[in-house]
Amino acid sequence: MSKILEKIDAEQRKPADQIPDFKIGDTVDVHVRIREGDKERIQVYSGVVISRKGHGARENFTVRRISYGEGVERVFPIHSPNLAKIELNRRGKIRRAKLYYLRELAGKKSRIKESRD
Amino acid sequence: MNALIGRKLGMTQVFDQTGAQVPVTVIQAGPCVVVQRKTLEKDGYEAVQIGYEEQKETRLTRPVAGHFRKGGITPRRVLREVRLEEGGSDTKVGDVFSAEIFEGAGFVDVIATTKGRGFQGVVRRHGMIGGRASHGSGNHRKPGSIGMREHPGRIFKNKRMPGHMGSTQVTTQNLELVQVRKDDNLLLVRGSVPGPKGGIILVRKSIKKASRAS
């Protein structure tokens, strides 16, 4: 990538201290800014990170949760200004790079062990 | 001035005020210097010839070197001619323009040469759908019938057939200007622009969509 593109990309990224070092398998709370008319409020969406991909300002991650018995997945750009905060709640111990297999599982089988380190 | 020569640097993305991701092409536009001023009296129409990027004099042919010497301009790599905008009649040889002329322009057109694709079939070149893939058809990416019978007894001109694709001049109109960075002479334009990274392009203020300011 050219130096100029690199610079523009860097401007779009958030400072590193605003993004916790979360990995795939972790459980996170994502604080999303929602605009309704001219009012702004924050909604918290929590679930398991099942994928994290892309690089630079384009990096994004997928959070899966079970909402009223239905699986819901949302993809967020990590550096989006609409994300007020990402909170890391629990580290997961996993053996896959992407946890897409969770889509086929429910209940006890879809649990992820907590990592102890 | 309403147009500049530049280079396409590549694509990336930026976040807009609402937090949406906007795909942008980064263009290095200018600085361009006026090399020649064509006038109604002398040339029959009003235009300016602009030059972009310095060039070693040893790389020029002698006629071209003389063309630069006449205007007292150091040699340039690329020359393009653009029509004079209204009220620009005081533009003279030696004037330098940079990306700030696009501030408030709103939309731009980009003229460039597309990437060469070589000899391509009818499916890729013209978007034909070809024949059936399976059940023994054998007619996979063929164009099908190209004409009728003894009457008219010939193939019509401009019948879409295989051939060379790309390396043609293309104008992409009405591209939204997302950002103008006059410090680095950069333009960020929403969407894609013809040609390879590093390719020479001509950027001009949109002729169909006027600026929001004026």
Side-chain angles (χ1 to χ4, degrees), chain A residues 24-84:
Chain A
I24 291 159
D26 296 351
T27 307
V28 291
D29 284 355
V30 185
H31 295 245
V32 191
R33 285 202 185 92
I34 294 180
R35 253 178 224 111
E36 286 165 332
D38 45 344
K39 262 189 277 180
E40 198 184 85
R41 64 187 180 84
I42 291 205
Q43 193 181 60
V44 181
Y45 179 88
S46 42
V48 181
V49 179
I50 64 167
S51 138
R52 188 171 165 169
K53 56 185 179 181
H55 59 273
R58 289 199 294 275
E59 186 173 357
N60 61 51
F61 63 103
T62 307
V63 180
R64 180 179 170 86
R65 65 172 295 168
I66 307 293
S67 174
Y68 300 104
E70 189 61 56
V72 176
E73 285 176 17
R74 282 184 74 176
V75 185
F76 301 101
I78 284 189
H79 297 282
S80 167
N82 286 348
L83 297 190

Side-chain angles (χ1 to χ4, degrees), chain B residues 134-154:
Chain B
S134 59
H135 291 278
S137 89
N139 179 352
H140 298 304
R141 297 176 70 89
K142 292 180 181 175
S145 168
I146 56 170
M148 293 60 115
R149 275 185 92 172
E150 195 162 6
H151 179 75
R154 62 189 176 89

Side-chain angles (χ1 to χ4, degrees), chain B residues 28-96:
Chain B
Q28 176 108 55
C32 293
V33 63
V34 176
V35 179
Q36 189 189 8
R37 173 82 168 78
K38 300 204 171 180
T39 57
L40 199 60
E41 302 83 66
K42 204 173 167 213
D43 307 283
Y45 63 102
E46 297 276 338
V48 286
Q49 188 185 57
I50 51 178
Y52 176 60
E53 283 186 358
E54 300 269 342
Q55 174 73 293
K56 278 188 195 164
E57 184 143 9
T58 53
R59 298 241 167 100
L60 302 178
T61 62
R62 303 194 68 175
V64 177
H67 177 63
F68 283 110
R69 209 171 301 125
K70 195 176 168 193
I73 311 286
T74 54
R76 304 287 151 154
R77 194 186 300 265
V78 194
L79 290 174
R80 289 291 140 85
E81 185 175 306
V82 290
R83 281 295 173 113
L84 202 62
E85 65 179 337
E86 275 176 58
S89 52
D90 55 341
T91 314
K92 55 184 190 306
V93 172
D95 286 357
V96 178

Side-chain angles (χ1 to χ4, degrees), chain A residues 4-5 7 11-12 58 82, chain B residues 15 18 26 181 184 186:
Chain A
I4 295 167
L5 290 184
K7 198 180 130 202
E11 282 169 23
Q12 300 299 316
R58 289 199 294 275
N82 286 348
Chain B
F15 292 102
T18 63
V26 183
R181 305 189 177 202
D184 311 320
L186 293 181

